[in-house]
Amino acid sequence: MTTINHDSGHDRPAQPLTEDRRLELSRASEERHRPVTVRVYVSPITSRAALRWVNAEGHDGPTLWEPVPLDGNHAHALRDEVLNLAGAVLAKRGFNYARGAYWKPASGDQDPERPETAEVAAVPTRAYLDLQARRFGPVPELPEVPGVTFTTTQRGQWWATVPDGRTFLLTWTPHLDGDRWIVWGGDQHSDLIRPATTSMDKALFVLRHPSHARP
């Protein structure tokens, strides 16, 4: 007689992802969607331009890489003023032109002399790669602060209890131009005590000296 096993496991609740696994999947997604080409499109009707991000699979980027409008009115996509604006966007987002790459009409454009779309290969800068390492790598270690007790609430967030019993929320978020440290207070921890700073020490100063901690 054949025994049928009805316990297929489909009814078992899904196990929550560990933080390490979640970060691993997020990092893989970032690498998969990371742009390798940028395109500038100039509308022949409105003369408005926008920069678009294209990943290795030839698709426009997801939400993180929405098209970026470029100021001004432009005759076509290979005008210097358009490409200068596009280059500034690349630099701001942590990218540069690939070695030996140059702007050229996108393949299939009907008018290579006055193309609607131009494209160039792009590569991430060291600063961009360092940012991703911080986003998906270890959280910064907090130094010991006399009289202050830190308790992790979630990644990049800590409760900080100072000697007089008050509790503040310390947050860290990585950014390309310098990571942000903020101290929050008040009943709902929605009051800015120490506005965004790129220095951990400046944020911790408020916790070292709680008399300064006023919204």
Side-chain angles (χ1 to χ4, degrees), residues 95-138:
F95 281 77
N96 204 344
Y97 303 127
R99 183 182 296 274
Y102 58 93
W103 287 99
K104 58 184 179 181
S107 58
D109 198 289
Q110 299 300 313
D111 186 355
E113 296 299 322
R114 296 173 60 85
E116 295 179 12
T117 306
E119 64 183 13
V120 68
V123 294
T125 62
R126 171 49 56 187
Y128 180 91
L129 296 177
D130 288 345
L131 169 63
Q132 305 316 313
R134 297 196 304 279
R135 285 183 64 204
F136 305 118

Side-chain angles (χ1 to χ4, degrees), residues 19-32:
E19 180 175 291
D20 287 346
R21 179 58 176 160
R22 181 181 62 80
L23 289 172
E24 179 184 347
L25 292 174
S26 296
R27 182 158 199 164
S29 176
E30 186 282 321
E31 292 176 351
R32 184 170 64 254

Side-chain angles (χ1 to χ4, degrees), residues 128-193:
Y128 180 91
L129 296 177
D130 288 345
L131 169 63
Q132 305 316 313
R134 297 196 304 279
R135 285 183 64 204
F136 305 118
V139 173
E141 292 188 11
L142 300 179
E144 290 189 10
V145 179
V148 181
T149 301
F150 293 104
T151 304
T152 301
T153 65
Q154 62 185 56
R155 181 178 171 83
Q157 295 189 11
W158 300 265
W159 294 126
T161 303
V162 299
D164 64 10
R166 284 182 295 171
T167 299
F168 300 91
L169 179 64
L170 174 66
T171 64
W172 163 80
T173 51
H175 288 263
L176 189 67
D177 60 348
D179 296 352
R180 306 292 194 268
W181 293 89
I182 304 176
V183 178
W184 304 84
D187 292 339
Q188 302 297 321
H189 295 98
S190 59
D191 297 330
L192 271 178
I193 303 299

